[in-house]
Amino acid sequence: MPIDFKSLSNDQKEVAKKVAAEAELQGIDPSLALAVAYSESRFKHYAGDGKSKLVTSPTGAVGALQTEPATVDAYNKKFDMNLDPHNVDDNIKAGVFILKDNLEHYGNPLDAVVAYNTSVATRNKFFESRDFKDLPVATRKYLLDRKSTRLNS
């Protein structure tokens, strides 16, 4: 089922446009980046109706692309960047950059998305076994959601 853009708020549509534009800029398939952002946050950078509280996961991932601040810090150091995961534009740049790096490293969208959504230990176990039962239920749901929301598939 494709993403129903008509049902999104104006803020969500703005985030989606930024995700697609950043994916184009970084040279990855916008439909993949959009599907990841939709699965991660439903294109929401802020919780509720305000603009003061970020969407934050139980593990501390923040914003529209649910980037982990420590991961963004590591990428900032490794690639001499200065991205702030709490800023919507930087969050999108960082998330798309991480997704692109995963695509280049792992060579396929499935493994790139597994790497984006899981811990190192979990992804390594899955990569060795290729058994989806080795992924947490939340990640399996995430992959199904991402697959069902993938545009142009």
Side-chain angles (χ1 to χ4, degrees), residues 45-63:
H45 188 70
Y46 297 101
D49 294 334
K51 295 212 182 228
S52 60
K53 183 174 169 42
L54 290 175
V55 172
T56 305
S57 77
T59 63
V62 297

Side-chain angles (χ1 to χ4, degrees), residues 19-20 23 28-38 43 65 96 99 150:
V19 169
I28 69 168
D29 180 358
S31 68
L32 178 62
L34 285 165
V36 168
Y38 186 77
F43 302 129
L65 268 289
V96 171
L99 184 58
R150 179 86 189 261

Side-chain angles (χ1 to χ4, degrees), residues 35-102:
V36 168
Y38 186 77
S39 294
E40 289 288 351
S41 71
R42 299 299 190 255
F43 302 129
K44 293 180 181 177
H45 188 70
Y46 297 101
D49 294 334
K51 295 212 182 228
S52 60
K53 183 174 169 42
L54 290 175
V55 172
T56 305
S57 77
T59 63
V62 297
L65 268 289
Q66 289 293 283
T67 57
E68 296 274 354
T71 302
V72 175
D73 286 344
Y75 273 84
N76 279 337
K77 289 175 185 152
K78 183 176 179 179
F79 295 99
D80 195 29
M81 299 186 298
N82 188 27
L83 299 174
D84 175 3
H86 302 91
N87 172 281
V88 65
D89 294 324
D90 284 357
N91 184 280
I92 291 167
K93 285 178 189 174
V96 171
F97 191 87
I98 293 165
L99 184 58
K100 178 182 178 178
D101 189 51
N102 287 348

Side-chain angles (χ1 to χ4, degrees), residues 1-2 35 39 113 141-151 153:
M1 167 174 59
S39 294
V113 170
K141 181 184 177 310
Y142 173 89
L143 290 169
L144 287 171
D145 185 45
R146 187 206 59 84
K147 184 177 180 185
S148 71
T149 58
R150 179 86 189 261
L151 302 175
S153 48

Side-chain angles (χ1 to χ4, degrees), residues 32 99-113 115 127 130:
L32 178 62
L99 184 58
K100 178 182 178 178
D101 189 51
N102 287 348
L103 284 164
E104 290 171 353
H105 182 79
Y106 296 105
N108 67 75
L110 172 65
D111 289 353
V113 170
F127 291 159
R130 305 310 285 183

